[in-house]
mmCIF file of all heavy atoms in Angstrom:
data_model
loop_
_atom_site.group_PDB
_atom_site.id
_atom_site.type_symbol
_atom_site.label_atom_id
_atom_site.label_comp_id
_atom_site.label_asym_id
_atom_site.label_seq_id
_atom_site.Cartn_x
_atom_site.Cartn_y
_atom_site.Cartn_z
ATOM 1 N N SER A 1118 -20.288 -63.318 -7.126
ATOM 2 C CA SER A 1118 -19.511 -62.232 -6.523
ATOM 3 C C SER A 1118 -20.177 -60.864 -6.700
ATOM 4 O O SER A 1118 -19.780 -59.895 -6.063
ATOM 5 C CB SER A 1118 -18.101 -62.185 -7.123
ATOM 6 O OG SER A 1118 -18.125 -61.636 -8.420
ATOM 7 N N LEU A 1119 -21.174 -60.807 -7.558
ATOM 8 C CA LEU A 1119 -21.825 -59.537 -7.871
ATOM 9 C C LEU A 1119 -22.944 -59.216 -6.885
ATOM 10 O O LEU A 1119 -23.605 -60.122 -6.361
ATOM 11 C CB LEU A 1119 -22.401 -59.570 -9.289
ATOM 12 C CG LEU A 1119 -21.390 -59.829 -10.399
ATOM 13 C CD1 LEU A 1119 -22.107 -59.991 -11.728
ATOM 14 C CD2 LEU A 1119 -20.364 -58.712 -10.473
ATOM 15 N N ARG A 1120 -23.171 -57.936 -6.682
ATOM 16 C CA ARG A 1120 -24.258 -57.502 -5.793
ATOM 17 C C ARG A 1120 -25.601 -57.949 -6.363
ATOM 18 O O ARG A 1120 -26.449 -58.471 -5.656
ATOM 19 C CB ARG A 1120 -24.221 -55.990 -5.645
ATOM 20 C CG ARG A 1120 -25.213 -55.435 -4.659
ATOM 21 C CD ARG A 1120 -25.042 -53.950 -4.530
ATOM 22 N NE ARG A 1120 -25.162 -53.339 -5.841
ATOM 23 C CZ ARG A 1120 -26.076 -52.440 -6.169
ATOM 24 N NH1 ARG A 1120 -26.927 -52.023 -5.276
ATOM 25 N NH2 ARG A 1120 -26.136 -51.938 -7.376
ATOM 26 N N ARG A 1121 -25.795 -57.731 -7.655
ATOM 27 C CA ARG A 1121 -26.995 -58.207 -8.351
ATOM 28 C C ARG A 1121 -26.541 -59.268 -9.332
ATOM 29 O O ARG A 1121 -25.975 -58.950 -10.374
ATOM 30 C CB ARG A 1121 -27.687 -57.070 -9.090
ATOM 31 C CG ARG A 1121 -28.285 -56.070 -8.164
ATOM 32 C CD ARG A 1121 -29.093 -55.076 -8.925
ATOM 33 N NE ARG A 1121 -29.628 -54.085 -8.017
ATOM 34 C CZ ARG A 1121 -30.747 -53.459 -8.207
ATOM 35 N NH1 ARG A 1121 -31.455 -53.679 -9.282
ATOM 36 N NH2 ARG A 1121 -31.166 -52.576 -7.333
ATOM 37 N N SER A 1122 -26.778 -60.492 -8.992
ATOM 38 C CA SER A 1122 -26.285 -61.604 -9.796
ATOM 39 C C SER A 1122 -27.204 -61.868 -10.985
ATOM 40 O O SER A 1122 -28.338 -62.319 -10.806
ATOM 41 C CB SER A 1122 -26.203 -62.876 -8.945
ATOM 42 O OG SER A 1122 -25.350 -62.656 -7.848
ATOM 43 N N PRO A 1123 -26.715 -61.615 -12.186
ATOM 44 C CA PRO A 1123 -27.554 -61.858 -13.365
ATOM 45 C C PRO A 1123 -27.614 -63.347 -13.704
ATOM 46 O O PRO A 1123 -26.713 -64.114 -13.343
ATOM 47 C CB PRO A 1123 -26.814 -61.093 -14.468
ATOM 48 C CG PRO A 1123 -25.383 -61.142 -14.048
ATOM 49 C CD PRO A 1123 -25.408 -61.080 -12.541
ATOM 50 N N ASP A 1124 -28.674 -63.740 -14.370
ATOM 51 C CA ASP A 1124 -28.724 -65.102 -14.897
ATOM 52 C C ASP A 1124 -27.757 -65.177 -16.066
ATOM 53 O O ASP A 1124 -27.549 -64.207 -16.791
ATOM 54 C CB ASP A 1124 -30.137 -65.455 -15.366
ATOM 55 C CG ASP A 1124 -31.101 -65.623 -14.206
ATOM 56 O OD1 ASP A 1124 -30.658 -65.625 -13.037
ATOM 57 O OD2 ASP A 1124 -32.300 -65.746 -14.469
ATOM 58 N N VAL A 1125 -27.144 -66.338 -16.227
ATOM 59 C CA VAL A 1125 -26.138 -66.551 -17.264
ATOM 60 C C VAL A 1125 -26.543 -67.783 -18.066
ATOM 61 O O VAL A 1125 -26.899 -68.809 -17.492
ATOM 62 C CB VAL A 1125 -24.747 -66.774 -16.637
ATOM 63 C CG1 VAL A 1125 -23.702 -67.055 -17.698
ATOM 64 C CG2 VAL A 1125 -24.338 -65.590 -15.783
ATOM 65 N N THR A 1126 -26.494 -67.669 -19.383
ATOM 66 C CA THR A 1126 -26.790 -68.797 -20.260
ATOM 67 C C THR A 1126 -25.503 -69.211 -20.957
ATOM 68 O O THR A 1126 -24.819 -68.391 -21.542
ATOM 69 C CB THR A 1126 -27.858 -68.423 -21.300
ATOM 70 O OG1 THR A 1126 -29.034 -67.975 -20.614
ATOM 71 C CG2 THR A 1126 -28.221 -69.618 -22.170
ATOM 72 N N LEU A 1127 -25.186 -70.502 -20.868
ATOM 73 C CA LEU A 1127 -24.016 -71.060 -21.532
ATOM 74 C C LEU A 1127 -24.489 -71.987 -22.633
ATOM 75 O O LEU A 1127 -25.452 -72.748 -22.440
ATOM 76 C CB LEU A 1127 -23.149 -71.849 -20.549
ATOM 77 C CG LEU A 1127 -22.502 -71.020 -19.458
ATOM 78 C CD1 LEU A 1127 -23.319 -71.098 -18.199
ATOM 79 C CD2 LEU A 1127 -21.099 -71.486 -19.224
ATOM 80 N N ARG A 1128 -23.786 -71.928 -23.764
ATOM 81 C CA ARG A 1128 -24.155 -72.781 -24.886
ATOM 82 C C ARG A 1128 -22.915 -73.381 -25.518
ATOM 83 O O ARG A 1128 -21.951 -72.685 -25.792
ATOM 84 C CB ARG A 1128 -24.931 -72.000 -25.934
ATOM 85 C CG ARG A 1128 -25.359 -72.896 -27.093
ATOM 86 C CD ARG A 1128 -26.252 -72.173 -28.045
ATOM 87 N NE ARG A 1128 -26.725 -73.110 -29.044
ATOM 88 C CZ ARG A 1128 -27.829 -72.970 -29.699
ATOM 89 N NH1 ARG A 1128 -28.609 -71.946 -29.468
ATOM 90 N NH2 ARG A 1128 -28.187 -73.845 -30.602
ATOM 91 N N ARG A 1129 -22.973 -74.675 -25.712
ATOM 92 C CA ARG A 1129 -21.941 -75.384 -26.453
ATOM 93 C C ARG A 1129 -22.658 -76.311 -27.418
ATOM 94 O O ARG A 1129 -23.433 -77.174 -27.017
ATOM 95 C CB ARG A 1129 -21.048 -76.202 -25.540
ATOM 96 C CG ARG A 1129 -20.069 -77.023 -26.358
ATOM 97 C CD ARG A 1129 -18.962 -77.603 -25.522
ATOM 98 N NE ARG A 1129 -18.082 -78.315 -26.423
ATOM 99 C CZ ARG A 1129 -17.930 -79.623 -26.417
ATOM 100 N NH1 ARG A 1129 -18.535 -80.356 -25.512
ATOM 101 N NH2 ARG A 1129 -17.131 -80.195 -27.289
ATOM 102 N N GLY A 1130 -22.403 -76.095 -28.688
ATOM 103 C CA GLY A 1130 -23.068 -76.909 -29.699
ATOM 104 C C GLY A 1130 -24.569 -76.766 -29.582
ATOM 105 O O GLY A 1130 -25.110 -75.673 -29.610
ATOM 106 N N THR A 1131 -25.250 -77.878 -29.402
ATOM 107 C CA THR A 1131 -26.706 -77.878 -29.332
ATOM 108 C C THR A 1131 -27.231 -77.795 -27.900
ATOM 109 O O THR A 1131 -28.436 -77.785 -27.684
ATOM 110 C CB THR A 1131 -27.260 -79.161 -29.989
ATOM 111 O OG1 THR A 1131 -26.717 -80.295 -29.303
ATOM 112 C CG2 THR A 1131 -26.890 -79.219 -31.459
ATOM 113 N N THR A 1132 -26.343 -77.741 -26.927
ATOM 114 C CA THR A 1132 -26.749 -77.718 -25.523
ATOM 115 C C THR A 1132 -26.682 -76.307 -24.975
ATOM 116 O O THR A 1132 -25.674 -75.624 -25.096
ATOM 117 C CB THR A 1132 -25.839 -78.640 -24.690
ATOM 118 O OG1 THR A 1132 -25.912 -79.963 -25.212
ATOM 119 C CG2 THR A 1132 -26.255 -78.649 -23.229
ATOM 120 N N GLU A 1133 -27.785 -75.883 -24.363
ATOM 121 C CA GLU A 1133 -27.867 -74.559 -23.770
ATOM 122 C C GLU A 1133 -28.390 -74.700 -22.353
ATOM 123 O O GLU A 1133 -29.380 -75.396 -22.125
ATOM 124 C CB GLU A 1133 -28.805 -73.689 -24.602
ATOM 125 C CG GLU A 1133 -28.885 -72.262 -24.127
ATOM 126 C CD GLU A 1133 -29.702 -71.402 -25.072
ATOM 127 O OE1 GLU A 1133 -29.274 -71.234 -26.235
ATOM 128 O OE2 GLU A 1133 -30.770 -70.935 -24.654
ATOM 129 N N VAL A 1134 -27.700 -74.059 -21.398
ATOM 130 C CA VAL A 1134 -28.066 -74.168 -19.995
ATOM 131 C C VAL A 1134 -28.094 -72.779 -19.377
ATOM 132 O O VAL A 1134 -27.165 -71.995 -19.565
ATOM 133 C CB VAL A 1134 -27.052 -75.053 -19.228
ATOM 134 C CG1 VAL A 1134 -27.452 -75.177 -17.782
ATOM 135 C CG2 VAL A 1134 -26.918 -76.406 -19.876
ATOM 136 N N ARG A 1135 -29.149 -72.502 -18.628
ATOM 137 C CA ARG A 1135 -29.289 -71.213 -17.933
ATOM 138 C C ARG A 1135 -28.956 -71.414 -16.461
ATOM 139 O O ARG A 1135 -29.534 -72.281 -15.798
ATOM 140 C CB ARG A 1135 -30.708 -70.685 -18.094
ATOM 141 C CG ARG A 1135 -30.906 -69.336 -17.471
ATOM 142 C CD ARG A 1135 -32.348 -68.901 -17.641
ATOM 143 N NE ARG A 1135 -32.521 -67.573 -17.149
ATOM 144 C CZ ARG A 1135 -32.960 -66.569 -17.883
ATOM 145 N NH1 ARG A 1135 -33.292 -66.765 -19.138
ATOM 146 N NH2 ARG A 1135 -33.093 -65.387 -17.363
ATOM 147 N N ILE A 1136 -28.040 -70.595 -15.959
ATOM 148 C CA ILE A 1136 -27.659 -70.669 -14.555
ATOM 149 C C ILE A 1136 -28.271 -69.471 -13.840
ATOM 150 O O ILE A 1136 -27.921 -68.328 -14.110
ATOM 151 C CB ILE A 1136 -26.126 -70.678 -14.396
ATOM 152 C CG1 ILE A 1136 -25.550 -71.923 -15.087
ATOM 153 C CG2 ILE A 1136 -25.737 -70.650 -12.912
ATOM 154 C CD1 ILE A 1136 -24.049 -71.986 -15.079
ATOM 155 N N ASP A 1137 -29.193 -69.775 -12.938
ATOM 156 C CA ASP A 1137 -29.819 -68.740 -12.132
ATOM 157 C C ASP A 1137 -29.347 -68.910 -10.688
ATOM 158 O O ASP A 1137 -28.493 -69.756 -10.403
ATOM 159 C CB ASP A 1137 -31.341 -68.796 -12.251
ATOM 160 C CG ASP A 1137 -31.922 -70.133 -11.803
ATOM 161 O OD1 ASP A 1137 -31.216 -70.933 -11.142
ATOM 162 O OD2 ASP A 1137 -33.096 -70.396 -12.110
ATOM 163 N N GLY A 1138 -29.893 -68.129 -9.784
ATOM 164 C CA GLY A 1138 -29.470 -68.178 -8.386
ATOM 165 C C GLY A 1138 -29.636 -69.538 -7.753
ATOM 166 O O GLY A 1138 -28.774 -70.003 -7.014
ATOM 167 N N GLU A 1139 -30.742 -70.188 -8.041
ATOM 168 C CA GLU A 1139 -31.004 -71.502 -7.450
ATOM 169 C C GLU A 1139 -29.994 -72.535 -7.954
ATOM 170 O O GLU A 1139 -29.423 -73.284 -7.166
ATOM 171 C CB GLU A 1139 -32.428 -71.936 -7.793
ATOM 172 C CG GLU A 1139 -32.846 -73.216 -7.121
ATOM 173 C CD GLU A 1139 -34.301 -73.566 -7.407
ATOM 174 O OE1 GLU A 1139 -35.104 -72.668 -7.676
ATOM 175 O OE2 GLU A 1139 -34.604 -74.769 -7.367
ATOM 176 N N LEU A 1140 -29.772 -72.586 -9.243
ATOM 177 C CA LEU A 1140 -28.834 -73.556 -9.805
ATOM 178 C C LEU A 1140 -27.406 -73.269 -9.357
ATOM 179 O O LEU A 1140 -26.638 -74.190 -9.101
ATOM 180 C CB LEU A 1140 -28.919 -73.561 -11.337
ATOM 181 C CG LEU A 1140 -28.037 -74.576 -12.062
ATOM 182 C CD1 LEU A 1140 -28.327 -76.000 -11.593
ATOM 183 C CD2 LEU A 1140 -28.226 -74.464 -13.559
ATOM 184 N N ALA A 1141 -27.046 -71.996 -9.222
ATOM 185 C CA ALA A 1141 -25.688 -71.630 -8.813
ATOM 186 C C ALA A 1141 -25.358 -72.139 -7.408
ATOM 187 O O ALA A 1141 -24.195 -72.338 -7.080
ATOM 188 C CB ALA A 1141 -25.504 -70.117 -8.880
ATOM 189 N N ARG A 1142 -26.389 -72.376 -6.597
ATOM 190 C CA ARG A 1142 -26.187 -72.874 -5.228
ATOM 191 C C ARG A 1142 -26.368 -74.386 -5.114
ATOM 192 O O ARG A 1142 -26.316 -74.936 -4.013
ATOM 193 C CB ARG A 1142 -27.148 -72.174 -4.276
ATOM 194 C CG ARG A 1142 -26.874 -70.694 -4.099
ATOM 195 C CD ARG A 1142 -27.802 -70.061 -3.070
ATOM 196 N NE ARG A 1142 -29.211 -70.142 -3.446
ATOM 197 C CZ ARG A 1142 -29.850 -69.259 -4.223
ATOM 198 N NH1 ARG A 1142 -29.192 -68.248 -4.736
ATOM 199 N NH2 ARG A 1142 -31.128 -69.394 -4.490
ATOM 200 N N ASP A 1143 -26.559 -75.064 -6.222
ATOM 201 C CA ASP A 1143 -26.844 -76.500 -6.232
ATOM 202 C C ASP A 1143 -25.667 -77.272 -6.836
ATOM 203 O O ASP A 1143 -25.549 -77.355 -8.057
ATOM 204 C CB ASP A 1143 -28.115 -76.748 -7.040
ATOM 205 C CG ASP A 1143 -28.479 -78.220 -7.155
ATOM 206 O OD1 ASP A 1143 -27.842 -79.067 -6.498
ATOM 207 O OD2 ASP A 1143 -29.404 -78.518 -7.940
ATOM 208 N N PRO A 1144 -24.782 -77.828 -6.007
ATOM 209 C CA PRO A 1144 -23.610 -78.534 -6.534
ATOM 210 C C PRO A 1144 -23.962 -79.672 -7.496
ATOM 211 O O PRO A 1144 -23.296 -79.860 -8.515
ATOM 212 C CB PRO A 1144 -22.911 -79.080 -5.288
ATOM 213 C CG PRO A 1144 -23.395 -78.208 -4.169
ATOM 214 C CD PRO A 1144 -24.786 -77.796 -4.551
ATOM 215 N N GLU A 1145 -25.010 -80.411 -7.185
ATOM 216 C CA GLU A 1145 -25.408 -81.516 -8.070
ATOM 217 C C GLU A 1145 -25.937 -80.978 -9.398
ATOM 218 O O GLU A 1145 -25.662 -81.528 -10.466
ATOM 219 C CB GLU A 1145 -26.459 -82.402 -7.393
ATOM 220 C CG GLU A 1145 -26.935 -83.567 -8.247
ATOM 221 C CD GLU A 1145 -25.830 -84.522 -8.672
ATOM 222 O OE1 GLU A 1145 -24.796 -84.619 -7.996
ATOM 223 O OE2 GLU A 1145 -26.010 -85.196 -9.713
ATOM 224 N N GLY A 1146 -26.695 -79.897 -9.341
ATOM 225 C CA GLY A 1146 -27.185 -79.272 -10.570
ATOM 226 C C GLY A 1146 -26.044 -78.762 -11.427
ATOM 227 O O GLY A 1146 -26.049 -78.919 -12.655
ATOM 228 N N LEU A 1147 -25.044 -78.147 -10.800
ATOM 229 C CA LEU A 1147 -23.884 -77.662 -11.549
ATOM 230 C C LEU A 1147 -23.094 -78.818 -12.157
ATOM 231 O O LEU A 1147 -22.575 -78.711 -13.269
ATOM 232 C CB LEU A 1147 -22.989 -76.809 -10.653
ATOM 233 C CG LEU A 1147 -23.574 -75.448 -10.282
ATOM 234 C CD1 LEU A 1147 -22.673 -74.736 -9.287
ATOM 235 C CD2 LEU A 1147 -23.798 -74.595 -11.523
#
């Protein structure tokens, strides 16, 4: 929703995932 979409990193326990523009548009990746 943002004009400049920042990359976002989510972490739970030992798992860390970075969501960038490409991944945000990939339903299977999400």
Side-chain angles (χ1 to χ4, degrees):
S1118 75
L1119 301 174
R1120 185 177 56 120
R1121 292 187 182 210
S1122 301
D1124 289 352
V1125 178
T1126 303
L1127 294 98
R1128 182 173 186 154
R1129 175 167 182 247
T1131 59
T1132 302
E1133 184 174 296
V1134 181
R1135 183 182 185 121
I1136 298 176
D1137 59 15
E1139 186 176 334
L1140 183 57
R1142 293 184 298 274
D1143 178 8
E1145 180 59 25
L1147 289 175

